[in-house]
Amino acid sequence: MSLLLETCISLLLVIGGLFGLIGSFGLLKLKTPMQRLHAPTKATTLGVGATLLAAAIAMYWQTGSASWQVVMISVFLFLTAPVSALYLAKTHLHLGKDPLPPTSTKADWAGKRR
Amino acid sequence: MRKLFPHPYLSVTLFVAWILLVNSAALGSALVALVLAAALPHVTAAYWPGRAHIRHPLALARYVALVLWDVLTANIHVARLILFTPADQLQSAWISVPVDLQSPEALALLAGTITLTPGTLTAEFSADSKTLLIHALHAPDPDAIRDDIKSRYEARLKRIFA
Amino acid sequence: MLHLALAFAIGCFALALLLNLWRLATAPQITDRILAVDTMVVNIIALIVLYGVQTGSTLGFDAAMLFAMTGFVSTVAFCKYLLRGGIIE
């Protein structure tokens, strides 16, 4: 039982570390600013989520008392990642001059500079 | 009761979040949590003009499970794109997705879902909240992504929120 | 086995932090810099928690939580400043 648990925690840690690394690598490798926004919002969030999950299980296993703070941190990260990504995308659109497709109705995009 | 807790979901969330944050279920922290759960919705009342009407809580739980599963597959997909596709072969595209969700909560949920799932990212709303602007990391066929979002996520959200 | 996996994960996140620092120094645009700092915050949270697991103490978890909150708020505040020229509306 304990070996199985240890294997699970180790696997989660390795997967988390790899995804965190991929996220930061994508930030360097991708070419355009909007493409770069994809890497940290998805890969890093999942990587840190998996790592924190492993840490929570490991702490419970080692000390015998559950540490809910770590779970709360990963929930918080998962909730805030889309919001900061939306804000960064809005800022990029505000500062840049990307050609945008038309909207489906008469109203224009909300952040468009007039 | 209704006057003390105008937003029951919010109050319950605050109560549970506080208990988990201080990491103890002692009487003292439960009392503080109760005070916070009663006070914070009133203090932030200006930000909660309406209330979300969730018709099927069970369907919402199923939706969350579906999104979590999609987050996993999305990450493997994006990781493969980052690692193995040369950067100049990525066909990124802007896609405008018309939505007809009414409630702001459903819209926010849809936008968050899109950001967390396969290679897409919500970038902007239209001024009348009827269109979402989405950036796709690798989209050889933008129309397929639009249809996928509409059938996979929007249809479910429309059923959940009245 | 757990020690090896822990060391591997810490190494991965430390390397990721270095990559972010490199991006921060060479970023072509201001949004890239904000994104690099935001990613650094997330990686640092992972490092703090992993260090806590390694030493078996939960003391750092509060710091990690504060980091998560201030990191998010500072990202949004920075974007808001660039969008509107002010933070408080």
Side-chain angles (χ1 to χ4, degrees), chain A residues 29 35 90 104-105 108 110, chain B residues 82 85 92 124-125 127-128 131:
Chain A
K29 184 200 164 192
Q35 284 178 351
K90 272 174 108 71
S104 60
T105 52
D108 210 343
Chain B
I82 291 173
T85 313
S92 296
E124 185 68 289
F125 291 80
D128 58 356
T131 319

Side-chain angles (χ1 to χ4, degrees), chain A residues 33-64:
Chain A
M34 277 311 289
Q35 284 178 351
R36 281 195 286 270
L37 203 47
H38 282 273
T41 50
K42 291 183 200 55
T44 304
T45 307
L46 183 81
V48 174
T51 309
L52 294 189
L53 188 65
I57 304 172
M59 282 317 272
Y60 181 66
W61 185 45
Q62 283 174 351
T63 62

